Amino acid sequence: MIPFSPPRIDQKIIDSVTEALASGWITTGPRTKLFEKELTVFAGHGATLCVNSASAGLELMLRWYGVKEGDEVIIPAYTYAATANVVVHCGARPVMVDSGEDFNISVDEVRRAISSRTKVIMPVDLGGYPCDYDEINSLVSDNSIKSVFVAESPEQQKLGRILVLSDAAHSIGALYKGRRTGALTDITVYSFHAVKNLTTAEGGAICLNLPEPFDNEEVYKVLNVKSLHGQNKDALAKTQLGNWKYDIVEPGYKCNMTDIMASIGLVELARYTDDNLVRRRRIFDLYREAFSNDARFIVPEYFTDIKSSSFHAFLLRLRDADEVSRDAVISAIFARQVAVNVHFRPLPLMSYYMKSGYCIDDYPVAWSNYCREISLPVYYALTDEEVWIVARVVKEAVTEVMG
Ligand SMILES: *Cc1c(COP(=O)(O)O)cnc(C)c1O
């Protein structure tokens, strides 16, 4: 069986985790703080707070911005549930909009969805391919859109416009006009979940890139306290002699990263650009070679003169499939010992969101992309030979099902 996306666990990772365990410091400490500094240098934004998941990071930022009942947050319908669920947790309404042919949120649809209740836009870099960030950033700074923004919290007053909070769960290392995700919008959140490009088993990072008059270092301190029950001293600070007494300044959350997680992340980051991404790019290029001259397939966009994917998921489409035939093709692929996936079932198809009034008919592009989509295996250890096997198996399966 060729698996879909196993993590890269080798001796280097095991040694790094063992060292963290043997150091005697296993929760948030020196390794997490070092990982945060290295992530900041990596993407070139202002400051980074590591957390225990991207979901927690996104929710923490919505709460930091004061998103609450009655507010709206614009998200793509075509994403993983985390993007929408965190909005619901805050009591706000996810306003879902349709995507484009590149699977990413449509900026025209975002423009149409903006209202006086809109507080945040959360674009998602699907499969690792960056959204149209110049267009999104100029949209929120446009005077006619700024003039309908209603600032309620102190942070909203300070920014004076809709916040752009990128869900970059797939796109660490992706490039837009020469800059990495993390430095492209106000705030970017990475995921280090086990299937993501760079993993810490579970984990995430909040990249702060807020414009003046915000001080990203100051915001980092506020968030650090928020991520630890509102406690004004963390465990490491409390170990200093006589420094036991602490205060709770707000009813905060508990979503800090541990040094065990960071010990994996440090190894992963050090070999990410020159090793992991190079391999993933090669796999994408081989798939493109295998499928681009066969009219039954649509190869995803992943590299242009202004954008480069992080090569997270290879979102192949079957040109003439519908949902039923696509599902049958997937079964035929699994029968040939290859694991594939679908990224994603659009949220309006999920029972909770359906019951909440969302209807897939309102998202024709998302629906059409979903019906025809199959994500192929991409991971560091996948060999060229295995890529060719996957390509052959997918073609055989399509021939078997669709003639
Ligand atoms: C994986 C994923 C998340 C959530 O990441 P966690 O670290 O598991 O919380 C959010 N958004 C998208 C698009 C994802 O694929």
Side-chain angles (χ1 to χ4, degrees):
M1 185 84 185
I2 296 179
F4 182 69
S5 169
R8 182 182 177 190
I9 306 297
D10 57 8
Q11 199 55 45
K12 259 192 159 156
I13 298 277
I14 294 166
D15 289 345
S16 185
V17 171
T18 306
E19 276 168 36
L21 289 169
S23 77
W25 195 270
I26 55 174
T27 183
T28 313
R31 285 174 172 79
T32 304
K33 296 302 146 191
L34 179 61
F35 189 37
E36 288 175 343
K37 290 209 168 64
E38 294 196 353
L39 286 166
T40 305
V41 171
F42 173 78
H45 48 278
T48 311
L49 180 75
C50 282
V51 285
N52 63 4
S53 71
S55 304
L58 291 167
E59 183 165 338
L60 198 69
M61 293 322 299
L62 291 175
R63 294 196 185 270
W64 168 82
Y65 201 53
V67 172
K68 54 163 183 27
E69 211 176 319
D71 291 339
E72 295 178 351
V73 176
I74 298 176
I75 66 164
Y78 202 96
T79 181
Y80 180 60
T83 322
N85 289 356
V86 295
V87 177
V88 175
H89 296 172
C90 296
R93 194 167 79 87
V95 174
M96 296 183 193
V97 304
D98 208 357
S99 316
E101 280 299 316
D102 63 355
F103 291 90
N104 280 338
I105 196 164
S106 153
V107 181
D108 286 336
E109 296 299 325
V110 171
R111 187 181 293 110
R112 266 192 279 277
I114 291 173
S115 80
S116 59
R117 293 165 183 255
T118 309
K119 293 291 194 274
V120 179
I121 298 171
M122 285 169 65
V124 181
D125 302 325
L126 244 292
Y129 195 58
C131 295
D132 294 322
Y133 282 117
D134 277 358
E135 287 79 359
I136 293 170
N137 287 332
S138 28
L139 190 62
V140 295
S141 301
D142 187 291
N143 281 330
S144 67
I145 285 174
K146 275 174 100 168
S147 65
V148 300
F149 180 72
V150 181
E152 291 171 279
S153 71
E155 289 73 21
Q156 292 170 17
Q157 274 153 9
K158 209 162 164 179
L159 190 62
R161 59 164 171 79
I162 296 168
L163 176 79
V164 182
L165 169 59
S166 299
D167 177 340
H170 300 177
S171 66
I172 182 170
L175 292 166
Y176 180 87
K177 296 193 173 171
R179 283 185 304 149
R180 287 182 168 137
T181 56
L184 298 172
T185 60
D186 300 322
I187 296 160
T188 302
V189 178
Y190 300 143
S191 171
F192 306 135
H193 175 269
V195 304
K196 304 294 157 81
N197 273 23
L198 190 161
T199 189
T200 61
E202 295 282 357
I206 301 166
C207 307
L208 300 171
N209 189 46
L210 291 158
E212 303 232 314
F214 285 99
D215 176 341
N216 288 297
E217 292 287 346
E218 286 305 311
V219 177
Y220 170 88
K221 287 180 194 155
V222 169
L223 294 172
N224 195 29
V225 169
K226 234 184 225 315
S227 71
L228 268 168
H229 281 303
Q231 185 174 306
N232 67 345
K233 285 175 196 165
D234 64 20
L236 196 63
K238 280 170 62 189
T239 58
Q240 284 153 28
L241 211 61
N243 203 20
W244 62 273
K245 205 178 237 176
Y246 62 89
D247 186 25
I248 297 294
V249 296
E250 62 173 319
Y253 305 91
K254 186 61 167 66
C255 55
N256 53 304
M257 176 175 277
T258 73
D259 268 24
I260 300 173
M261 300 153 98
S263 73
I264 303 175
L266 284 165
V267 175
E268 286 271 272
L269 186 61
R271 64 192 186 186
Y272 188 62
T273 312
D274 297 334
D275 189 14
N276 191 343
L277 278 192
V278 172
R279 183 66 208 148
R280 300 184 85 96
R281 165 97 206 242
R282 163 93 181 151
I283 293 166
F284 268 55
D285 288 344
L286 290 176
Y287 279 141
R288 188 184 54 192
E289 210 179 308
F291 291 105
S292 60
N293 56 5
D294 187 329
R296 298 175 298 172
F297 299 98
I298 304 172
V299 168
E301 206 175 280
Y302 61 87
F303 196 84
T304 66
D305 50 352
I306 60 163
K307 293 183 186 182
S308 170
S309 179
S310 62
F311 317 106
H312 175 59
F314 193 88
L315 309 168
L316 185 69
R317 270 170 292 180
L318 309 178
R319 198 178 296 277
D320 298 321
D322 55 20
E323 192 184 20
V324 174
S325 53
R326 188 275 316 273
D327 289 354
V329 168
I330 289 181
S331 299
I333 294 170
F334 270 94
R336 290 171 168 80
Q337 303 298 307
V338 171
V340 292
N341 225 315
V342 174
H343 289 91
F344 291 98
R345 287 186 74 205
L347 299 179
L349 294 173
M350 303 297 185
S351 59
Y352 170 77
Y353 287 103
M354 213 184 284
K355 272 185 276 176
S356 306
Y358 299 87
C359 177
I360 192 65
D361 296 346
D362 297 330
Y363 310 95
V365 181
W367 168 249
S368 149
N369 282 344
Y370 153 73
C371 286
R372 299 180 296 155
E373 201 271 337
I374 301 177
S375 303
L376 305 184
V378 182
Y379 53 92
Y380 183 80
L382 189 70
T383 64
D384 287 10
E385 204 172 24
E386 287 170 323
V387 172
W388 293 120
I389 294 172
V390 172
R392 177 174 50 76
V393 157
V394 170
K395 289 180 184 187
E396 279 173 18
V398 172
T399 305
E400 179 186 301
V401 172
M402 302 181 68

